[in-house]
Amino acid sequence: MPDLSLNSIMDANCCNINHGRRRRPTRVVYIGDVPVGGNHPVAVQSMTNTDTRDVAATILQIKGLQDVGCEIIRLAVPDLAAAEALADIKKAISVPIIADIHFDWRLAVASIESGADGIRINPGNLGGPQKLAKVVEKARQYGVPIRVGINSGSLERDIRDRHGGPVPEALVESAIRNIGYIVDMGYEAVKVSIKSSDCLATIAAYRLLSGKTDFPLHLGVTEAGGLIAGTVKSSIAIGLLLMEGIGDTFRVSLTRDPREEVRVAYEILRAVKIRQRGPEIISCPTCGRCEIDLFSLAEEVERRAQQIPYPLKLAVMGCVVNGPGEAREADLGLAGGKGVGLIFKGARIIKKVAEEGLLDAFWREVEALLAEKVKGESLNK
Ligand code: SF4
């Protein structure tokens, strides 16, 4: 008898993966047990914004990120205490973590010794080849991949001067140079990012870089902004690149709770039909026919849906006149009316419910539908 509790459904790995798109061939590196590159699913990343030395708060945030589907999580390592804290954090979590290091090679070494599954450095700013060699040696010893992270703000002076600024060609030159330092030391578990806060420069830079290297690419627009600006910039840059087959993992940067970054990341993947995690919510913009507080209803449905990895189409519509018709492709929908709403399944209306009980009645139908789908899948196995 399959376990049909909502928890078991939520634990199931329900991501649909489209392997059909033409993806630029890249090598594969493993961040913990998550493969990045080749034909593996494009992995979703985020970064904690807790003080890494605050182990309890960081574990809590990592678990929250994992709950919404984050597959690789980066942590800032500003000092030795933070590097050492990674060991305690690792004991309490199962998602792979990457230590984010700036300037101090000793923090990279300490982070690897503490169990980081990957490190992110800019090899050019670690203080010279001898210090980089110590980091590379430690990474080799522990089998930990290195992300070469180039940012427009931290470009080497000679490259910046030659190109007249952090233009795409300059970012790519810096990336190739810095990858070269590591490869020349005989280590090739490398991935690379070249982030700019300019959306179009980011697109141009990754296009250029993808023609010059087959190391896996981590996409992102750096300092992208708040929820709206950051989502727009990231969707355009990351979405377009993914559609062109460029990119093996990515982070959406938002000045926001990092769980929002993961939510936006999956919406980008869904929109470009690469991966699907969780329900797709269709909701109308409302108009003069709407007689219900649809904004709150839609927000609450979105909030609850974040905990469900199973792909479903749910509709939240503002009126009973047009709602059910306009959203007939949904698996389940609700439509608001004056004091009363309808719940519909495809083109069929299945319930009429008073407004105050509409959301809960709808959610009970969602849970029942999930249970049906999981049962069907178990029987087909
Ligand atoms: S579903 Fe109804 S309320 Fe929503 S936009 Fe269409 S007509 Fe207006």
Side-chain angles (χ1 to χ4, degrees):
M1 181 72 181
D3 179 1
L4 299 182
S5 66
L6 186 57
N7 279 345
S8 80
I9 295 166
M10 296 190 321
D11 284 346
N13 177 5
C14 294
C15 291
N16 279 353
I17 295 149
N18 178 359
H19 290 289
R21 77 189 169 111
R22 287 179 58 200
R23 183 146 159 212
R24 186 189 68 109
T26 49
R27 309 176 193 208
V28 178
V29 297
Y30 279 82
I31 310 297
D33 58 358
V34 176
V36 173
N39 205 28
H40 292 287
V42 175
V44 170
Q45 302 203 23
S46 183
M47 185 166 180
T48 54
N49 58 12
T50 52
D51 182 337
T52 305
R53 293 162 294 195
D54 185 342
V55 171
T58 303
I59 290 171
L60 194 66
Q61 192 169 61
I62 288 174
K63 289 187 170 171
L65 280 166
Q66 200 176 1
D67 281 349
V68 293
C70 192
E71 295 163 312
I72 299 170
I73 300 175
R74 187 155 50 107
L75 288 74
V77 178
D79 59 20
L80 200 56
E84 286 168 359
L86 297 182
D88 290 328
I89 293 167
K90 277 290 289 178
K91 283 181 205 148
I93 59 162
S94 56
V95 65
I97 57 170
I98 292 182
D100 189 72
I101 310 293
H102 287 275
F103 304 112
D104 192 339
W105 66 276
R106 289 165 299 193
L107 300 182
V109 167
S111 297
I112 295 171
E113 286 174 344
S114 284
D117 301 287
I119 54 165
R120 181 264 179 194
I121 56 170
N122 181 344
N125 70 21
L126 282 186
Q130 283 173 345
K131 291 169 181 169
L132 176 63
K134 287 184 178 150
V135 174
V136 171
E137 199 38 53
K138 190 57 73 176
R140 189 200 320 272
Q141 186 188 344
Y142 282 72
V144 164
I146 298 174
R147 164 148 72 98
V148 172
I150 306 299
N151 272 7
S152 52
S154 58
L155 209 53
E156 297 97 317
R157 179 177 288 251
D158 66 313
I159 293 180
R160 177 186 284 267
D161 289 350
R162 189 153 8 88
H163 290 275
V167 295
E169 291 77 7
L171 292 171
V172 172
E173 186 179 332
S174 174
I176 297 296
R177 176 193 283 178
N178 283 286
I179 293 169
Y181 292 148
I182 298 175
V183 171
D184 287 348
M185 292 173 184
Y187 195 58
E188 299 201 354
V190 168
K191 62 189 171 79
V192 57
S193 63
I194 40 171
K195 297 183 180 180
S196 163
S197 57
D198 182 302
C199 177
L200 299 183
T202 300
I203 296 167
Y206 276 103
R207 278 179 175 159
L208 203 56
L209 181 64
S210 75
K212 291 184 185 293
T213 180
D214 66 351
F215 284 109
L217 299 186
H218 170 117
L219 306 182
V221 180
T222 193
E223 291 122 29
L227 184 62
I228 293 178
T231 298
V232 170
K233 280 187 188 177
S234 300
S235 302
I236 291 172
I238 296 170
L240 189 69
L241 289 165
L242 290 174
M243 284 172 71
E244 293 177 4
I246 297 170
D248 303 288
T249 180
F250 70 98
R251 175 201 178 190
V252 172
S253 287
L254 297 176
T255 313
R256 205 71 186 188
D257 180 330
R259 285 174 299 183
E260 301 283 5
E261 298 184 346
V262 178
R263 194 168 153 197
V264 174
Y266 278 107
E267 289 303 332
I268 293 173
L269 287 170
R270 188 201 309 279
V272 294
K273 295 196 165 23
I274 287 175
R275 293 183 67 184
Q276 190 175 354
R277 181 189 189 278
E280 177 178 357
I281 314 291
I282 309 166
S283 58
C284 80
T286 73
C287 69
R289 290 188 192 86
C290 183
E291 296 182 285
I292 198 166
D293 179 7
L294 196 74
F295 293 173
S296 306
L297 264 178
E299 239 175 69
E300 182 57 18
V301 169
E302 279 183 10
R303 193 189 66 74
R304 294 187 187 193
Q306 274 180 60
Q307 300 298 319
I308 300 175
Y310 206 96
L312 283 179
K313 206 173 244 193
L314 305 178
V316 185
M317 307 299 280
C319 73
V320 295
V321 183
N322 289 339
E326 285 177 13
R328 68 165 63 89
E329 79 274 21
D331 294 302
L332 263 176
L334 68 78
K338 193 168 187 170
V340 56
L342 301 179
I343 298 175
F344 54 94
K345 209 172 193 174
R348 197 162 51 88
I349 291 167
I350 57 169
K351 263 186 191 154
K352 199 172 176 181
V353 189
E355 183 179 341
E356 53 278 13
L358 184 59
L359 180 67
D360 287 339
F362 176 67
W363 206 252
R364 279 195 294 278
E365 294 298 331
V366 171
E367 291 181 356
L369 183 64
L370 282 169
E372 246 175 62
K373 283 188 180 273
V374 170
K375 191 175 176 184
E377 280 185 2
S378 307
L379 292 175
N380 286 336
K381 273 183 191 162

